[in-house]
Every structure is written in C-alpha cells, then in structure tokens.
Amino acid sequence: MKIYKKLAISLLAANFAFLGLAQTNTHQVYAAEGQNDQIKYDIQKKNLLLAISDSTNVVSSEVYNSYISADLQQAYLVAISQGKALLLKGDGASFDELRIATGNIKEAKAEMMRQADKNIKTIKLKEAISRNKITVNAAKLLLQTAPNKVAGVRDKLIQLINESERLIKVAEAIL
C-alpha cells in the first residue's frame, strides 16, 4: 500500500510538473506575441513621429518653395496635420492608422520629389535650348562675317548648326 501511495503521489507530482510547464510555455508564447505587437506599434509610432519631424526640413527647403505646386504643398501639409492628430490620440491610435498616416506622408513627399525632379529637368532643358540657340547664332554670325577664316571648317560648322537646330526642335517638342 505504501508503494501505491508513493507511486500515486509521484504520478500526481509529475502530472502537475508537466501541466505547469505547458502552461508556462503557453503564457510565454502569448506574452511574446503581445510584446512583438507592442514593439511593432512603438516602431510605427516612431516612424510617424520621424516623418512629422522631418516636415520642418521639407517645408523650409528650396525645392519645396521653388519647384512644388501649391496643390502638392497643401496635400503634404494635410498629411502632416493628420499624422499629428493621430499622435495626439496617444495609444488610442491603432497600428493601421499610424501605418496609413506614415504612408500618406511618405507618398506626398515622394510625389513632391517627382514633381521637383520633373520641374528641375524642364528648367535645365530650357537652359540647354537657350545655350544651343546662342551657339547656333554665333556659328551663323561667324560664317557671315568671317567666311575666309572659317573656310577650313565651314562644312563641319554647317553640320554643327544643322544638328543643333534639329536638337532644339526635338527639345522644344518635349517641352
């Protein structure tokens, strides 16, 4: 009888030990998942905060003030104000709200960069056209005023003028 008691107590102790371990592991897994969600939430919140903090640099930049349309400037400022409103909610803002607000700010900024890039390229193309027109006019003037001095390179000069005029027409068609 003593052996049965000892065996039963041992089995009971082993059973509690295994159940205890299983419960501990289960709680640890759930706790880890909760911690991962909280970490992701905190990271997303920091990303939104960084995007909003960067707005002072963006708004004070020459690109923002010189090459961006008023509509895109307004869209960016709206995205920033929506992000600020979410941050004011504190932990009441959901992960998805934070993610969407951060994405809206980044997309508005990316659209402004695309427009700025296009506007800068347009300005550079106009400057290249202007320089090319000056070069063509100078070459034509040289052919008219000093035909004897440029006689050795006359054909190359005419070829240069024709090629430049062709490129000017192509560039103006692009604009």
Side-chain angles (χ1 to χ4, degrees):
M1 190 70 159
K2 287 184 180 181
I3 294 178
Y4 286 123
K5 268 187 173 177
K6 286 184 181 179
L7 186 58
I9 291 173
S10 297
L11 286 173
L12 187 60
N15 194 14
F16 281 126
F18 284 116
L19 286 175
L21 289 175
Q23 288 178 353
T24 302
N25 286 341
T26 302
H27 290 300
Q28 287 176 351
V29 169
Y30 288 132
E33 287 177 4
Q35 288 173 347
N36 284 340
D37 288 345
Q38 186 60 42
I39 290 170
K40 288 179 184 177
Y41 182 85
D42 291 342
I43 290 171
Q44 189 60 54
K45 199 170 188 178
K46 286 178 185 175
N47 286 340
L48 179 58
L49 184 60
L50 286 172
I52 291 170
S53 297
D54 186 47
S55 68
T56 56
N57 294 329
V58 172
V59 172
S60 64
S61 70
E62 180 184 349
V63 170
Y64 181 86
N65 293 301
S66 300
Y67 301 108
I68 306 300
S69 70
D71 291 341
L72 280 181
Q73 288 176 342
Q74 184 62 31
Y76 179 73
L77 293 176
V78 166
I80 293 295
S81 66
Q82 289 172 347
K84 286 179 180 178
L86 276 177
L87 289 179
L88 289 175
K89 285 173 112 177
D91 290 337
S94 72
F95 175 81
D96 284 335
E97 287 176 320
L98 295 172
R99 182 183 54 78
I100 290 169
T102 305
N104 288 343
I105 292 170
K106 288 182 178 183
E107 181 55 37
K109 188 175 175 182
E111 184 61 34
M112 288 189 311
M113 293 308 294
R114 285 189 287 271
Q115 187 180 71
D117 185 50
K118 181 181 176 184
N119 289 342
I120 290 169
K121 286 179 180 178
T122 300
I123 289 168
K124 286 183 178 184
L125 185 58
K126 287 178 180 179
E127 289 172 354
I129 290 170
S130 177
R131 284 191 308 271
N132 227 357
K133 285 181 178 180
I134 291 170
T135 302
V136 167
N137 289 336
K140 285 180 179 179
L141 183 64
L142 197 59
L143 283 172
Q144 291 173 356
T145 58
N148 294 335
K149 290 188 178 187
V150 294
V153 291
R154 185 177 193 281
D155 292 337
K156 288 183 181 181
L157 203 52
I158 290 173
Q159 184 181 1
L160 176 70
I161 291 169
N162 291 336
E163 180 65 17
S164 292
E165 287 176 338
R166 184 187 69 77
L167 289 174
I168 290 170
K169 285 180 186 177
V170 170
E172 287 176 338
I174 291 171
L175 294 175

